[in-house]
Amino acid sequence: MLNHDWYFEISEFRKEIKALKESVDIVKSIVKPEEELWDNFDMERNWGVSPRLLSDWRKNGLIAYVQIGNKIWYPREARELILLKHYKKPKNGGHAENESN
C-alpha cells in the first residue's frame, strides 16, 4: 500500500506558503520601500558621502534626521528636501548647444 502522507504534507506546505505570501503582501502594502529610513551606512553607500560630511550636515541643520540612542536615521522626506534645496538647473535649459564649425 502506498503511503499518502507525503501528499497531505505537500498540500499543507502549499497552504502555509500561500498564507505567508498573503502576509508579505499585506506588509508590503503598509511599509512602502520608497518611504524607508536610511542610516549613515545607507547614505554613505547610496550617495557616496563620508560620515564626517553627514555629521557636518546634521550639525549645520542641512538635513533632518531621527536619532534613537546612538543610531541616526534619515527619512525619505529629509533626503528629498536636501536634494531639492541643492538642485541646480542647467543654464542652457537642459539643451546641448549647437557647436557648428
Side-chain angles (χ1 to χ4, degrees):
M1 180 174 212
L2 205 66
N3 185 346
H4 292 290
D5 286 345
W6 62 268
Y7 181 79
F8 176 76
E9 289 175 11
I10 290 174
S11 177
E12 288 301 309
F13 185 63
R14 285 184 176 159
K15 287 178 188 175
E16 289 178 24
I17 288 174
K18 183 179 178 186
L20 182 59
K21 184 184 179 314
E22 289 170 356
S23 296
V24 168
D25 289 343
I26 291 169
V27 170
K28 284 169 67 178
S29 72
I30 296 169
V31 179
K32 299 183 178 13
E34 67 273 9
E35 296 177 8
E36 70 187 64
L37 295 170
W38 286 6
D39 63 9
N40 279 338
F41 178 76
D42 295 320
M43 292 292 286
E44 294 166 29
R45 183 187 63 212
N46 292 315
W47 284 13
V49 295
S50 69
R52 174 62 187 226
L53 182 59
L54 288 171
S55 175
D56 288 345
W57 285 357
R58 291 190 309 270
K59 187 170 85 174
N60 295 318
L62 295 176
I63 191 166
Y65 61 96
V66 175
Q67 184 168 1
I68 302 173
N70 291 330
K71 188 70 174 179
I72 296 173
W73 301 95
Y74 303 92
R76 177 185 48 87
E77 295 84 7
R79 299 187 318 264
E80 288 175 354
L81 189 58
I82 195 168
L83 291 175
L84 288 173
K85 283 182 180 178
H86 294 86
Y87 179 74
K88 306 288 186 213
K89 291 184 181 181
K91 293 182 181 178
N92 64 1
H95 302 289
E97 302 221 5
N98 249 347
E99 292 187 23
S100 303
N101 286 343

